[in-house]
Every structure is written in C-alpha cells, then in structure tokens.
Amino acid sequence: MASLLEMKEIFRNADAVCFDVDSTVIREEGIDELAKFCGVGDAVAEMTRRAMGGTVTFKAALTARLGLIRPSYEQVQKLISDNPPELTPGIRELVSRLHQRGVQVFLVSGGFQSIVEHVALQLNIPTANVFANRLKFYFNGEYAGFDETQPTSESGGKGKVITHLKEQFHFKNVVMIGDGATDMEACPPGDCFIGFGGNVVRKQVKEKAKWYITHFDELLKELEER
C-alpha cells in the first residue's frame, strides 16, 4: 500500500484524474434530487444511504430506487432546466488547473448520463470523458429501465472503467476522487484514491481512505507545490 507521501506524488504526476460526480463534483445526489422532483424523495434517500455505505449491491439499489421513481424523459429534462446541479466550491478551478497541466479529466458516475453531461459542459470536460448510467425511455417518454450493460450500473464498475482507460490510453497514474464506497473500490486498478468529504461524510470512506480531504483547495495546493 502506498504511503500518503507516495499518493501525493502519484497525484502530482497523474496522467488522468477520475471524479465521482454526486456529492463530489456537485453538491447533491442526482438520484435523490430526481426522486424529490418526482415525489418519492424520502424513500429513495434512505436507499441511497444504504448503497453508499456499501451494505447492498449498487445495481440492486439502483434498480430498486429507479423502480420507485420511474422518471419520464420530460421529468429528467425539467429537473436539469429548473434545478441544475450545483458545482462544489473549488472544482471548477481544480479541473481547469488539471487541464492546464495536460491531465485528462473523466467523470465516472453511478448517476445519470444526461445530468452528468450537463455538469461536464460546465467544466469543459468532453462528453466522451463521461461514464455514467443511461436511462431508457419508451417512445412516449415513459420510463423503460436503465442500460444494464454500462459498467457504472454495478458494484466494481468504476474499477472496470479505469481498467478500460488504462488499456485504451496507456495511462501510468490514474487517480480516483470520490465520497463513496464505490469510488474507494476502484483503487486498484486506480493508482490512488482520494476520499472527499466536502459535501457529505461517509464513515466507512473517512476511516479507510489514507488520503481524505474536505475541500478541493487542498488538491490545488498540492499541484502548486511542484
């Protein structure tokens, strides 16, 4: 296991940085916001807490939550236009600095493609660098399930995305930053995991992550030291 000093060195020399989105890049949990918008907020928030704590499989929790919400295409679009996701303080500056250094930035999320792509646009991240879950709709716009072939739809999926990125781009140092158990599980194959507690603190992640931050300024300072 890498020491904290070694992890900081990996971060400073990263080829690619992968960010979780919900409660990391943005302040909210996208699925909880969608649930509130569709009138089933409390029940779904409880399922999210269990999923993020690592007590149920991600796919089982996602299936159950979406089965309760059953969002239509129109509802998803209206959520994005009426309640756009709020960026976490410092993320815009951090992503900009990484881009300046020639680091590839990816959004790897168990959330939904349409919402995550909206976030990517605000951060000048190409949509090709977005890995997230795709909702499916019938021709009339009603909910038809989600694409279960996406790696992000299951536990361990974020690690599969990192493996794919390493194979495709031959990255040497890939860093994963996130607030939840599914982010921590992605290292390995990721080379360094940075736990983020700026929006919500997950006890399991705070206790187990060797490098745990609560503000993105901490990472900006690391980059300035080189």
Side-chain angles (χ1 to χ4, degrees), residues 47 101 110 138 156 170 187 192 208:
M47 288 183 180
R101 292 165 66 95
Y138 293 110
H170 307 291
C187 299
C192 168
K208 291 187 179 176

Side-chain angles (χ1 to χ4, degrees), residues 54-65:
T55 54
V56 291
T57 69
F58 186 82
K59 185 175 270 188
L62 184 62
T63 303
R65 288 179 291 177

Side-chain angles (χ1 to χ4, degrees), residues 179 196-207 212 214:
D179 67 291
F196 183 73
N199 293 312
V200 62
V201 175
R202 316 276 181 202
K203 184 169 178 281
Q204 179 191 13
V205 175
K206 187 177 183 182
E207 287 174 356
Y212 193 82
T214 55

